[in-house]
Amino acid sequence: MRRVRFPLRDRLVLTPVEMVHALSFTVPMALAGGLMFGRLWVLGALVAELCGCLLVPALLPYLPTRSYTAKGFFVGVPAAAALVSAALRPIAGRKFLLGLLELPWWGAVASAVLLGLAVVILTAFFAMNFSGCTPDAAPSDVFRETLVWFTWMPRFGPRMRRLVATNVRKSGVQLNTEACIGCGRCTEVCPHGVFTRDPETQKIRLDPDRAPYCIECGACRCNCPQDACDVTPGVGCAYALIYSAFKGLDTIVCPC
């Protein structure tokens, strides 16, 4: 099985694109939170964007679990804790609504906790959105994590599940077992071990447990001397899935 390198430079190349997409979430948070609770919410929006779009890709090999949402939580929780600590000092005399009103102590605590939750959730969401930009996560992984965030929404959730089912059915790797001569080149170049050798026939076949991890890189198709491998690429992008479901499209389309 081939090892694929994903160095820091490659991980950060899409950070500017991810940060532009993130503005549709952080700008409303900065405006609404800043006007209501003060400039610390503007800082919180900036911290969430930097954590999810910059720190998570930079620290990707060192963060535990395969789930990108969980990786975002690992980065977002310490940042949120620091912001909450800053928001609670001092707790008395905090202003509300552009300084027109004074918050009671419990209102200041609620505002600080809400700020922390917003930072953690946005950081985890931005990290999940990055999953489709990596050679580690297969489209099935990307769609699975995206559905966790949106499947509960009425109308929007069912539309998203329908898009995923259509995309999975039309994309992926196919192997013509009759044309296969069993040379094993596909097993050598596949970075996710999608192919395996049948111990009885010595022919190559798709591993049913590993096939969903195909990242549609096309290495098997390029290296097969018999053209027995074929790859139909889908769109394994969380942002594309969200965009297509929001627009009510019949197929997943990447707006980038």
Side-chain angles (χ1 to χ4, degrees):
M1 188 168 66
R2 179 170 63 104
R3 292 182 64 87
V4 177
R5 296 186 179 276
F6 195 37
L8 179 64
R9 180 179 178 181
D10 291 347
R11 296 198 300 273
L12 296 183
V13 72
L14 284 178
T15 290
V17 178
E18 295 296 318
M19 294 187 75
V20 170
H21 290 166
L23 289 175
S24 58
F25 298 93
T26 54
V27 169
M29 172 184 170
L31 290 176
L35 290 174
M36 293 180 65
F37 300 110
R39 59 181 178 270
L40 199 59
W41 274 73
V42 179
L43 177 61
L46 178 62
V47 167
E49 184 157 341
L50 290 175
C51 286
C53 301
L54 181 63
L55 282 183
V56 170
L59 301 175
L60 193 63
Y62 314 105
L63 296 171
T65 79
R66 280 186 57 88
S67 168
Y68 282 73
T69 298
K71 292 177 187 291
F73 275 115
F74 278 109
V75 174
V77 167
L83 283 170
V84 170
S85 176
L88 292 176
R89 291 182 299 179
I91 195 171
R94 297 297 300 274
K95 299 297 182 180
F96 178 63
L97 286 178
L98 296 175
L100 299 177
L101 300 175
E102 184 172 318
L103 276 175
W105 69 267
W106 54 266
V109 172
S111 169
V113 172
L114 187 61
L115 172 61
L117 287 175
V119 169
V120 171
I121 291 172
L122 281 180
T123 301
F125 179 75
F126 297 150
M128 179 278 298
N129 194 41
F130 183 74
S131 60
C133 306
T134 75
D136 176 59
S140 56
D141 294 328
V142 178
F143 295 151
R144 190 181 303 112
E145 286 206 46
T146 309
L147 286 173
V148 169
W149 285 84
F150 295 100
T151 191
W152 56 272
M153 294 184 178
R155 295 185 60 184
F156 193 73
R159 191 184 301 165
M160 186 172 284
R161 289 194 296 271
R162 186 168 59 252
L163 281 171
V164 169
T166 303
N167 191 83
V168 170
R169 195 163 52 243
K170 292 182 178 179
S171 64
V173 60
Q174 297 87 36
L175 176 64
N176 185 346
T177 54
E178 294 182 0
C180 174
I181 59 175
C183 67
R185 289 187 185 177
C186 54
T187 62
E188 297 172 0
V189 299
C190 179
H192 280 271
V194 169
F195 301 92
T196 186
R197 187 180 294 277
D198 192 309
E200 296 181 0
T201 64
Q202 293 301 307
K203 286 259 187 157
I204 304 298
R205 60 180 176 84
L206 290 174
D207 188 328
D209 296 326
R210 300 297 305 173
Y213 292 97
C214 171
I215 59 173
E216 302 165 0
C217 64
C220 54
R221 180 176 57 190
C222 295
N223 288 274
C224 181
Q226 298 294 111
D227 293 328
C229 297
D230 190 28
V231 178
T232 305
V235 182
C237 173
Y239 183 74
L241 176 58
I242 298 168
Y243 170 85
S244 302
F246 181 76
K247 292 291 185 179
L249 304 178
D250 295 328
T251 58
I252 300 176
V253 176
C254 184
C256 301

